[in-house]
Amino acid sequence: MTRQTCTTCNAELRGTENYCPQCGHSLRGRRGRRGEPEPPRWVEIEFQESKSSSFHTALDLCITNPNYRTFERNALKVHRVGFHADQSGELLRLANIVRGWKSFRLFVDGREETWRSFFYGGYYCFEDRDASAHSNQYCYGESSEWFNWWGCHRLGYGFYSEEDWLRSGKMMEDHVFVLDKDRIKRILLQRARSHRFCPVMNTKSILERVDMLPDAIDPATNPDWEYYFLDWRDEPSTPPAAAVPVCNPESMIVTHLVPPDVVVPNPPDRSWAQGEPPPGYE
């Protein structure tokens, strides 16, 4: 029988693992099918013997995990346990006990990370998603302020956001709004890095969604879109000084980009957008 080993650390494998039990290296493809999240990351928590009153509680959480093991380092006993990153409940229960200990170490896919970089790098948001009654709606955004069609409301470029669209497109003299898709992709990827430890972050799917947007938007010929005029003095019949395209929530492109169980929030009040003064304007 051929001996199987990890390509990263040469640890011996049984052949059934998804991740190396020694270093956490993924033993399967990280890229999911179109539109599906990438496989969750592998997270390991390590700590040594402790005089803390919570030590035995931490140990009890470990010994029920099949990915728990012990070994010696510098004549000291080390405890290490692995989790799929989407096991947020179990992972956080243990981490909240041991993360203040001097011996605490955290590894993500075999690479050591600080707890702060991991937790605030998207994992706290995933924890909130787990606690939400509707996880898909939480990710896409539950209000008009946050909602977007990338599948992560933390990325911005909201469905009703004016500023983001203005920075990534140009209004032409013929009233056609031309999107700068390359710029949109760069900004989304840059923002996604700040949330890279979210187990359901799928950058491949995000970039595909950008490609599905039209290169140019003309509400005069495409009823799926309309303009929001950012200056109430602009008239729809003249080239607007500042306007951004907004998609009809019931349009075909929305049905392709947004899952059927996600509700597109109602737009913010734009009653002043067609030449009427905005609320509170004197």
Side-chain angles (χ1 to χ4, degrees), residues 27-282:
L27 303 175
R28 60 180 179 179
R30 286 290 306 280
R31 182 171 293 181
R33 292 177 296 176
R34 179 184 178 93
E36 292 186 357
E38 297 172 354
R41 295 173 175 84
W42 184 250
V43 182
E44 287 189 304
I45 290 177
E46 177 184 299
F47 58 94
Q48 297 176 4
E49 301 286 313
S50 171
K51 295 180 180 179
S52 168
S53 59
S54 303
F55 175 73
H56 290 291
T57 302
L59 206 57
D60 288 341
L61 292 174
C62 291
I63 59 179
T64 58
N65 188 318
N67 297 301
Y68 167 65
R69 68 185 189 278
T70 62
F71 55 92
E72 283 195 1
R73 181 190 297 134
N74 299 327
L76 295 174
K77 187 175 183 179
V78 178
H79 304 265
R80 184 181 281 199
V81 61
F83 303 88
H84 290 288
D86 59 358
Q87 296 176 280
S88 62
E90 299 172 38
L91 193 160
L92 290 171
R93 276 196 295 273
L94 179 60
N96 286 332
I97 295 174
V98 304
R99 62 190 176 93
W101 300 353
K102 289 183 178 179
S103 62
F104 169 74
R105 299 176 72 185
L106 179 80
F107 300 87
V108 182
D109 289 340
R111 178 176 178 175
E112 187 165 9
E113 301 282 351
T114 66
W115 174 252
R116 183 177 181 84
S117 67
F118 175 69
F119 187 73
Y120 291 105
Y123 205 75
Y124 76 96
C125 192
F126 179 73
E127 182 187 12
D128 290 343
R129 175 187 184 272
D130 259 8
S132 172
H134 191 333
S135 57
N136 249 3
Q137 188 75 55
Y138 173 83
C139 287
Y140 279 83
E142 297 175 322
S143 68
S144 59
E145 178 184 3
W146 289 97
F147 186 81
N148 67 37
W149 44 28
W150 318 118
C152 175
H153 65 264
R154 300 286 180 182
L155 300 184
Y157 277 115
F159 196 81
Y160 300 112
S161 170
E162 302 100 349
E163 293 82 2
D164 278 335
W165 290 113
L166 275 179
R167 287 200 297 267
S168 300
K170 182 178 181 181
M171 180 67 72
M172 311 304 288
E173 288 295 324
D174 57 359
H175 291 208
V176 174
F177 192 91
V178 178
L179 286 177
D180 186 345
K181 291 186 180 181
D182 289 337
R183 179 177 172 82
I184 293 174
K185 289 179 179 180
R186 288 196 302 270
I187 293 176
L188 288 175
L189 288 177
Q190 182 180 16
R191 294 175 180 177
R193 282 193 57 80
S194 299
H195 303 279
R196 63 190 181 279
F197 292 123
C198 173
V200 294
M201 174 69 73
N202 187 345
T203 53
K204 179 175 180 286
S205 175
I206 291 168
L207 298 181
E208 288 174 345
R209 289 162 184 263
V210 177
D211 288 331
M212 292 175 69
L213 295 175
D215 296 321
I217 298 169
D218 183 4
T221 59
N222 187 344
D224 286 344
W225 296 83
E226 63 178 311
Y227 283 141
Y228 276 171
F229 294 88
L230 306 184
D231 188 332
W232 65 272
R233 288 159 293 197
D234 283 328
E235 295 290 341
S237 59
T238 61
V244 289
V246 174
C247 192
N248 180 342
E250 298 179 357
S251 68
M252 186 63 69
I253 191 170
V254 173
T255 62
H256 278 88
L257 293 174
V258 179
D261 61 333
V262 172
V263 177
V264 180
N266 291 324
D269 179 22
R270 298 286 179 174
S271 59
W272 52 272
Q274 299 300 327
E276 295 295 328
Y281 181 83
E282 298 295 338

